């Protein structure tokens, strides 16, 4: 699988998620679509959404509801695309969404593997490939970033790092859609800053590609440790996303 193949698969998945065409993400002007459920969309996305902005760098593709279409269009056409994903402009978006009882909730940066840089990395510890039956008993708090607790069936493969027989780090992937598997990684505190996370991430990415699937990695752009891990593991930033949710949902999260 080439970088071009990977990028095209990601664009197609974003099109499923956003109810639009793949070429919309490469346009020089912003695109608005009306959000609707799609069986091919990512399983973690609660479609339809009332305000969701995606940018691969050129423009913004915004999926909205009929009632929020006008205000979201006003917002994304008022500022440069990248400015729509940062403060203080986000405060303006919140004001526009307030009459609909919506608030900005999630913001993230997504990474794709660069196959010219992706390679197995050595961390000095044994790495073991784990199948479903091997990590069935690992749904514990210390591995909450790499396993899908609310839908275990999505978890398809993992790689563990071991100090003798002690599991010290784990990377898992969830089949969030047909062609793309999302990677999450956890390392025990006393074993961090030793290259364990990047060794796990790169190894799991290679195994995912062997399955004919595309690994992808998500991080908050303020999570410097996670972003560094993505880059060290052979990934590069590919798209960003901002999602608004119901005010009651947002308030429940922050309490």
């Amino acid at each position: 699988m080439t970088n071009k193949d990977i990028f095209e698969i990601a664009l197609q998945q974003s099109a499923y998620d956003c109810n639009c065409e793949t070429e919309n993400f490469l346009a020089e002007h912003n695109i608005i679509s009306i959000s609707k459920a799609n069986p091919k969309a990512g399983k973690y996305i609660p479609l339809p959404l009332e305000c969701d902005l995606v940018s691969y760098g050129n423009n913004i593709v915004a999926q909205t509801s009929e009632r929020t279409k006008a205000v979201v269009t006003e917002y994304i056409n008022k500022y440069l695309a990248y400015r729509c994903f940062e403060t203080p402009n986000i405060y303006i978006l919140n004001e526009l969404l307030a009459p609909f009882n919506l608030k900005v909730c999630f913001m993230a940066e997504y990474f794709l593997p660069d196959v010219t840089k992706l390679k197995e990395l050595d961390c000095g510890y044994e790495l073991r490939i784990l199948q479903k039956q091997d990590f069935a008993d690992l749904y514990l708090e210390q591995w909450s970033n790499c396993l899908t607790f609310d839908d275990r069936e999505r978890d398809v493969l993992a790689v563990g790092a071991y100090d003798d027989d002690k599991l010290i780090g784990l990377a898992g992937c969830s089949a969030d859609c047909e062609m793309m598997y999302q990677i999450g990684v956890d390392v025990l505190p006393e074993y961090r800053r030793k290259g364990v996370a990047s060794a796990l991430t790169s190894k799991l990415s290679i195994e995912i590609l062997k399955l004919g699937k595309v690994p992808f990695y998500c991080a908050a752009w303020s999570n410097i440790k996670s972003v560094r891990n993505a880059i060290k593991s052979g990934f590069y930033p590919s798209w960003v996303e901002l999602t608004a949710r119901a005010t009651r949902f947002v308030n429940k999260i922050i309490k």
Side-chain angles (χ1 to χ4, degrees):
M1 195 177 294
T2 67
N3 284 343
K4 182 175 182 291
D5 295 331
I6 290 170
F7 188 68
E8 288 177 351
I9 289 170
L11 284 177
Q12 179 60 76
Q13 187 57 51
S14 290
Y16 292 146
D17 296 343
C18 297
N19 189 32
C20 67
E21 303 298 326
T22 57
E23 59 265 25
N24 290 161
F25 297 99
L26 306 178
E28 294 300 325
H29 59 281
N30 295 326
I31 303 291
I32 295 283
S33 72
I34 299 301
S35 184
K36 67 177 184 179
N38 186 333
K40 294 183 178 181
K43 294 180 175 63
Y44 59 93
I45 305 174
L47 295 174
L49 295 170
E50 297 214 75
C51 176
D52 180 70
L53 313 182
V54 174
S55 178
Y56 276 77
N58 285 0
N59 66 342
I60 294 175
V61 173
Q63 59 175 321
T64 73
S65 62
E66 290 286 359
R67 69 174 187 153
T68 59
K69 179 179 179 180
V71 297
V72 175
T73 301
E74 174 189 345
Y75 176 73
I76 65 173
N77 288 335
K78 186 175 182 179
Y79 307 107
L80 294 173
Y82 74 94
R83 294 290 188 191
C84 291
F85 293 85
E86 64 180 15
T87 55
N89 297 353
I90 288 175
Y91 300 142
I92 302 298
L93 179 58
N94 266 336
E95 291 174 3
L96 292 169
L97 295 174
F100 307 100
N101 290 315
L102 298 168
K103 281 184 178 180
V104 173
C105 185
F106 299 119
M107 297 187 293
E109 186 172 18
Y110 290 83
F111 298 78
L112 291 173
D114 181 344
V115 295
T116 68
K117 297 180 179 179
L118 183 65
K119 62 181 180 180
E120 291 193 21
L121 301 173
D122 180 32
C123 64
Y125 295 99
E126 179 189 2
L127 302 185
R128 302 177 191 170
I129 299 172
L130 307 177
Q131 305 296 333
K132 269 184 174 293
Q133 65 272 17
D134 302 317
F135 56 79
D137 296 329
L138 296 180
Y139 287 85
L140 308 169
E141 179 61 29
Q142 60 262 46
W143 313 123
S144 60
N145 287 323
C146 52
L147 295 175
T148 310
F149 282 52
D150 60 346
D151 188 0
R152 298 185 182 189
E153 286 304 309
R154 280 169 33 204
D155 293 333
V156 294
L157 192 68
V159 175
Y162 290 84
D163 185 357
D164 291 328
D165 283 328
K166 179 183 179 181
L167 180 63
I168 63 167
L170 185 69
C173 65
S174 57
D176 288 344
C177 44
E178 181 182 357
M179 288 299 298
M180 299 183 71
Y181 289 179
Q182 182 168 190
I183 290 178
V185 61
D186 276 307
V187 178
L188 296 182
E190 62 268 32
Y191 289 92
R192 292 172 185 167
R193 303 183 67 84
K194 296 182 178 182
V196 176
S198 55
L200 288 168
T201 303
S202 58
K203 175 66 173 176
L204 182 56
S205 300
I206 291 168
E207 295 302 317
I208 293 170
L209 286 167
K210 287 179 182 178
L211 297 175
K213 308 296 183 179
V214 172
F216 72 103
Y217 188 104
C218 174
W221 40 69
S222 56
N223 190 342
I224 299 300
K225 291 190 295 183
S226 187
V227 171
R228 284 175 178 163
N229 178 57
I231 294 170
K232 184 177 179 181
S233 301
F235 284 70
Y236 68 97
S238 302
W239 76 94
V240 294
E241 186 164 2
L242 177 153
T243 307
R245 299 289 297 275
T247 299
R248 64 182 180 278
F249 177 87
V250 179
N251 290 344
K252 185 178 180 180
I253 289 178
I254 62 179
K255 283 184 178 179

